[in-house]
Structure formats: C-alpha cells, structure tokens
Amino acid sequence: MQRITALWHDSPLKLVSALFVLSLAAMMAVASGASFTSTSANAGNIVTAGNLTHTNSKAPGAILTVAGLRPGQSDSGTVDITNTGDAPGTFTLTKSGLSNSDTGNPLGAKLDLVIEDLGDPAAPGTPVVKYSGKLGPMGAVALSTYASGEAHRYKFTVTFPDGGTPAGPNSGDNAYKGDNVTVNYNWDAISN
C-alpha cells in the first residue's frame, strides 16, 4: 500500500494511466468470450381468413320440373349441396319468388312437399325429413352444419293430394286444372 501512495505522490498521472489500462484489459477479457449469445427469427408469418363457399349441382336450374301432375300423383327431383370452402358452415334452405297462376285457388297451397336429406351422395343413408307440408307456406328450413368438403343430397317430392271426385266442373280438384306454381329455392350458409 505504501508503494501505491509513493507512486501517487511521485506521478499521479502514471498511476491513473496504469489503472485505466488494467481496467480496459479486464473489460476486454470479459467482453471477448466470457458471455454467450443466441439469436433466432420467425420471418414471413401469414394469417389467412377462412372461406365459406358451396356448390349446388342444379344451379342455376330447377330441382323440380313437373308437367301434367294429376290428383294422387307425385314427382321428385334431387340436388347435391357441397361445402367447398375451408370453414364449416350451418346451412339453411328458404324459398322465394313464389308465383301461382291462379291466385284465387293457388296451386302452391294445395300441393304437398317433402324435402329429405339423403346424406352423402356417394353413400346415401337413411333419409331424414327436413320439411313436410304445403309447398306455398314453407318457411326457412334448418338443415345441418357441413364440415369442409361435406356434401348432402336432398330429395324434393311434390304430391297433388287427391280430393276425391269433384262435385262439379269447377269444384274440388277441378279448380286446379291447368294451373301452375313456380318457386325459387335458396341455399344459404353461415360459418361457425
């Protein structure tokens, strides 16, 4: 300790310079390998929104095109609806544009309509009735939730119920002779 004191009195600048050089050497020794480093990156991150789309095997055409339907007869047609998007969707069927040629005796109020879900078109299963009632007053029909790629075949059956022998030429079933009804069916999907 006396040597440092003697050095300090002799040449304080030399002592400060020596201490500075020693401190600098110590810092370089620590910085030159006394610690570890590591780096990683996650570049190009992308987020894409899902897409809900579907195909309709009969679009834009009709599911039912029935001519000459008489009391007691039925006719049917099928359509395949497939979720072609990458998101699941809840499907609904509605009607629009209902038009009867005779508004006094609307044929749509007379005809019976049954809509059945036959399941996968490639391997149809047991039919599940989704709607059974009159064609005209049908409201929105809840179908099911389709996963991406899932398809369903729907069968539409229209029946002219037989009201028996009419009492006259313009009564009973005779009131509907030559009448027609047109209707549009709309398939809507909402993602879950």
Side-chain angles (χ1 to χ4, degrees):
M1 188 64 149
Q2 289 178 349
R3 282 187 179 181
I4 294 175
T5 307
L7 258 172
W8 178 257
H9 288 294
D10 237 7
S11 175
L13 186 57
K14 281 185 182 177
L15 182 61
V16 170
S17 294
L19 287 174
F20 177 74
V21 169
L22 286 174
S23 296
L24 188 59
M27 285 191 303
M28 290 191 61
V30 169
S32 67
S35 56
F36 299 106
T37 62
S38 177
T39 305
S40 70
N42 296 101
N45 297 287
I46 297 174
V47 177
T48 303
N51 190 13
L52 179 60
T53 58
H54 69 275
T55 59
N56 175 333
S57 66
K58 296 288 176 97
I63 299 166
L64 293 167
T65 304
V66 181
L69 193 64
R70 297 183 308 276
Q73 288 186 324
S74 297
D75 205 341
S76 63
T78 61
V79 61
D80 297 342
I81 306 296
T82 305
N83 179 353
T84 55
D86 55 15
T90 301
F91 283 72
T92 304
L93 172 66
T94 57
K95 73 171 186 346
S96 65
L98 180 72
S99 175
N100 290 280
S101 62
D102 181 352
T103 55
N105 287 313
L107 185 58
K110 175 72 173 173
L111 298 176
D112 292 327
L113 177 65
V114 175
I115 302 171
E116 298 171 289
D117 183 348
L118 305 180
D120 184 351
T126 304
V128 175
V129 174
K130 293 296 186 173
Y131 177 78
S132 180
K134 297 297 180 187
L135 184 147
M138 182 191 102
V141 178
L143 300 175
S144 62
T145 299
Y146 297 11
S148 176
E150 186 175 350
H152 287 252
R153 175 166 290 161
Y154 291 94
K155 181 179 180 183
F156 286 63
T157 304
V158 64
T159 302
F160 191 147
D162 190 349
T165 303
N170 296 320
S171 65
D173 294 340
N174 283 339
Y176 300 98
K177 290 191 297 185
D179 290 352
N180 66 60
V181 60
T182 58
V183 62
N184 302 320
Y185 292 109
N186 308 302
W187 306 86
D188 298 305
I190 298 174
S191 65
N192 298 334

